[in-house]
Amino acid sequence: MLRRLGTLLGLLVLCAWSIVRIARPPAPVPATAPDTVFSAERAMRHVEAIAARPHAMGTPDHDRVRNYIVAQLAALGLRSQVQVTTAIGTRDHVAGRVQNVLAWMPGSDPSGKALLLVAHYDGVGAGPAAGDDAAGCAALLETLRALRARKKPLAHDVFVLFSDGEESGLLGAAAFVREHPWAKDVEMVLNFEARGTGGRSLMFETGPGNLDAARALRAAGNATAGSVFTTIYHLLPNDTDLSELSVLGEPAMNFAFTDGVERYHTSRDDLAHLDSGSVQHHGVQMLALAKEIGNGPLPRVRTGDGTFFDFPMLGLVVYPNSWALPLAVLALLLVVAVFVRSKPSAAGVAAGVVATLIAVALAAVVGEIAGALIRGPGAWSGLDGGAVVLFALATTLLTFAVAGRWSAPRELWLGVAVLWILLALVTAVMVPGTSYLFVWPAILSAAAALKPRWRVVAEWFAAAVTVILFAGFVYGAAVMLLGLSGPGAVAAAVISSLVIGLILPVLAPIDALRWEGAAACGGVGVLLVVIGLVTVRPTANHPLRSRLIYAEHVDSTDAWLGSPEPLDNDWVRSAVGSPAVTPAWTTRLSEYGNRFAGRSAPRVSLEAPSADLVRDTVINGARRVVLRVKAPGATDLVMRAVGARVLTSSIDGRVVDTTRYRYHTGGWIMDYFAVPDTGAIVALSIPIGAQLGFELAAWTPGLPALPGKTIPPRPANVVPSQTGDVTVVYRALRF
């Protein structure tokens, strides 16, 4: 009994330690620390100033934050400049008038080659953006202060970019790459982001040839990173400023903390909910890397990609991808040696292989079902994650219990090992950056299975390495990066099934291969679900998201109040009322063409956006229509050309390049953010003889007072998200 309890306790401690390692940031350093040290307490003063109020592009508070950053740079003795220009996004259908804030800290080397440090200072309309990305801006200001406090400057220049318009489609980064003269001297890029309000600052994306960058990160120390995270991120439809800065083709690293994702892009992304430890981890990495890279060779040595992961007491383990296949072959040879030594029956091993495949497939189904039942942001917790894992373990152990009728324990384990070796070989060839997850557990488990003198110690060492690698990975990737629904839940379940199979030798004392183990896991999983249903509710700290839209059609008497989100909470339903079928023109309000849920509302008659014909000529065999577009008071203007195929286009004299777009629409559409009072010049080339329809939808923060309609105040557990509540005025023109 004591051995069983010890085994369970040991595995639980390893899981908890692995998760805490990837989730808990370092303690914040007080403001009394030496001047050359990064202090989160000092940095949080900047967060407090920047995140005092929401500061989306085109709002007065946006300019307030810009002026604050300029003043802080001046106080540090750095000359700054504001790059004011029209930016055209190359990842999405967006444009806008950006105001990038840049500064230059000269190095002692006259070559002019530089490290670029980046954080964006704009935020979404719904909240003050303390985490995303006041934290990055504050860390950048505090890092500059610490660098300036050094007696000796860095060898190389440091360029600083407080980018504008990241939330509007990476506009500031695109403008820097496309137009700023400093861009040609950048030799490495470090970008700092957030997708939540806490947790460690994970290095989750790199530029090309990342082996050298990973080595620099290892030298800087205190890193949380894994080449598997960079692989996963490249498969996701997500972007940060680095997506535009990658056009420079230089080495790069991207950092973000992601815990508290339920507060991401909401009004709860505020100073009260931001973990200062996360700012500390941002900053210690930024400062250490600035010194490591700023005093190292620039340009950096060009390398291929590398495999890297952090591990207790070892720090960041880094080696070339070319090592991945030899290590996988070593794992294969060790498993073959186990076969030779143990002389298993072919039928028993085959039963183990089949059982493993069935267990993994059942775990995937369990994950899919559980993911579909997860209650959504603000209503799920770690209890749900634990339940998903336990249900996957229950189905796996149940499968192994059945397979035990035809396969001895060692033969069953060899069947599991066969699948692990296949995964190690396939990942080593196809995606070597992920291979370490399968190679090292396979090597250590096979070595332990060779029955060395200290077999129990070897088995526990192999199990400990496997659990430490995977428990943190499941939490970081499946729960935080992918989300505990859909792919995230499936990944958590499948990985749990694979891991439990590989560590079967240490589970034998707790009847893991019998029905009792499966029943225990399933029972505890049900208990966690019940506890979650009883205790987990949306709260002020874990809120429900909401947005309201008032939209009116200038050319009719039509006006609607609704929400682009599902009417899935009581407050939204009470504010909107019983939804009706919205008219077709409401699908023209955004670039995505979504139909929002709502009902007819009292009309207010607001000022409409306009488009005046400037020039209509024929150039190079095409009709060239030039318009001056205005939207007084709007922060965002959606423009859509209909009725004619747009051959080429430009905005404010800058050609629209669609070659890197993530998706293509059926026609020409563009979101223009922060439209200047003088308007934007839009030039469209269409076939000769074609008639041009031009639709406009102007977005303004807040809702107007609606006659006879009262919007109830939000309760504490319901918060604005993304744009927040907005007013949209739509009109259609023809030229």
Side-chain angles (χ1 to χ4, degrees), residues 136 198 235 249 293 295 302 304 334 355 375 420 441 575 611 626 696 728 731:
L235 299 176
I293 297 166
N295 284 324
R302 297 296 173 165
L334 287 171
R375 293 170 292 280
W420 274 80
V626 180
L696 300 172
V728 187
R731 75 179 309 178

Side-chain angles (χ1 to χ4, degrees), residues 199-568:
R200 289 178 70 82
S201 181
L202 171 70
M203 200 284 286
F204 65 95
E205 184 185 13
T206 62
N210 62 26
L211 177 60
D212 176 70
R215 286 170 174 164
L217 184 60
R218 178 182 61 192
N222 200 23
T224 297
S227 46
V228 65
F229 293 109
T230 66
T231 302
I232 292 173
Y233 183 78
H234 288 154
L235 299 176
L236 299 176
N238 297 357
D239 281 310
T240 69
D241 275 339
L242 194 58
S243 301
E244 289 286 5
L245 296 167
S246 65
V247 174
L248 297 173
E250 300 299 335
M253 286 185 279
N254 210 353
F255 297 80
F257 49 85
T258 60
D259 210 357
V261 67
E262 64 271 22
R263 292 181 283 275
Y264 172 66
H265 282 185
T266 76
S267 60
R268 292 294 189 271
D269 182 8
D270 56 14
L271 184 69
H273 292 95
L274 178 63
D275 188 339
S276 57
S278 301
V279 179
Q280 182 69 39
H281 199 213
H282 253 358
V284 294
Q285 292 183 102
M286 189 188 299
L287 179 58
L289 282 168
K291 292 188 288 188
E292 175 69 22
I293 297 166
N295 284 324
L298 282 183
R300 302 285 298 185
V301 59
R302 297 296 173 165
T303 64
D305 284 337
T307 298
F308 51 91
F309 59 95
D310 63 287
F311 199 80
M313 295 178 287
L314 298 179
L316 196 66
V317 179
V318 183
Y319 53 86
N321 276 354
S322 59
W323 290 18
L325 186 56
L327 288 170
V329 171
L330 173 60
L332 172 63
L333 294 176
L334 287 171
V335 171
V336 170
V338 176
F339 269 85
V340 172
R341 176 170 291 189
S342 60
K343 298 181 175 60
S345 71
V349 174
V353 172
V354 172
T356 305
L357 292 173
I358 292 174
V360 170
L362 289 175
V365 172
V366 167
E368 181 68 29
I369 294 172
L373 297 176
I374 293 297
R375 293 170 292 280
W380 67 266
S381 72
L383 295 172
D384 297 292
V388 169
V389 169
L390 286 168
F391 289 145
L393 296 184
T395 57
T396 302
L397 294 177
L398 181 63
T399 305
F400 287 159
V402 174
R405 298 180 177 181
W406 298 277
S407 181
R410 178 51 57 94
E411 293 170 340
L412 183 58
W413 179 87
L414 282 170
V416 175
V418 168
L419 183 57
W420 274 80
I421 291 300
L422 288 174
L423 289 170
L425 290 169
V426 169
T427 55
V429 173
M430 303 295 293
V431 278
T434 69
S435 63
Y436 72 89
L437 287 171
F438 304 102
V439 164
W440 291 109
I443 287 175
L444 296 173
S445 298
L450 286 172
K451 296 185 178 180
R453 184 175 180 182
W454 301 97
R455 180 178 61 84
V456 174
V457 174
E459 288 174 347
W460 263 102
F461 181 73
V465 170
T466 303
V467 170
I468 290 172
L469 278 177
F470 276 97
F473 167 69
V474 167
Y475 180 79
V479 177
M480 294 196 300
L481 196 58
L482 296 176
L484 195 63
S485 61
V490 172
V494 168
I495 290 170
S496 300
S497 179
L498 288 169
V499 168
I500 205 72
L502 195 65
I503 65 172
L504 283 178
V506 302
L507 291 173
I510 59 172
D511 300 322
L513 301 182
R514 301 177 187 174
W515 307 98
E516 292 89 337
C521 288
V524 176
V526 171
L527 179 62
L528 292 183
V529 170
V530 172
I531 293 173
L533 290 172
V534 172
T535 63
V536 177
R537 294 286 186 274
T539 65
N541 289 331
H542 302 273
L544 295 173
R545 296 166 178 262
S546 65
R547 286 192 292 166
L548 295 182
I549 290 180
Y550 168 79
E552 70 176 35
H553 194 320
V554 170
D555 304 317
S556 73
T557 59
D558 222 1
W560 285 74
L561 177 68
S563 173
E565 314 291 350
L567 302 184
D568 57 0

